[in-house]
Amino acid sequence: MINVTRLNGKPYVINAIYIETIESFPDTTITLSNGRKYVVKESEEEVVQLVIKFYQTVNLLGLQQLEGPEYEK
């Protein structure tokens, strides 16, 4: 799940697994696999980064990056 913001400022959550496309028209529009479209305040790049972070969290993109001094080489 990723946290995004409607154009009126109200935050909501979208299941990132169902995102099919992310486009800028110039507002960022997220289209889900069921055809529903959501327009959000975040930029296309921000949404992509949120999706990547989500996939790493649920380990769909391989090992997640670990942060902190105990993981630094």
Side-chain angles (χ1 to χ4, degrees):
M1 305 290 268
I2 61 169
N3 294 307
V4 291
T5 311
R6 295 184 193 275
L7 294 180
N8 67 3
K10 184 177 177 184
Y12 63 107
V13 179
I14 292 180
N15 190 335
I17 292 174
Y18 296 113
I19 293 177
E20 190 169 299
T21 60
I22 304 166
E23 303 170 283
S24 296
F25 293 127
D27 294 323
T28 305
T29 304
I30 300 171
T31 305
L32 302 184
S33 57
N34 64 5
R36 285 187 155 178
K37 295 183 182 268
Y38 296 91
V39 180
V40 299
K41 277 188 173 183
E42 289 77 13
S43 70
E44 186 175 338
E45 296 79 25
E46 288 175 297
V47 175
V48 168
Q49 289 305 312
L50 289 169
V51 170
I52 290 170
K53 191 173 183 180
F54 168 76
Y55 282 169
Q56 288 173 335
T57 301
V58 295
N59 207 22
L60 288 178
L61 290 179
L63 295 175
Q64 69 183 37
Q65 282 187 318
L66 300 175
E67 297 180 18
E70 62 274 12
Y71 299 109
E72 293 177 3
K73 293 181 179 181

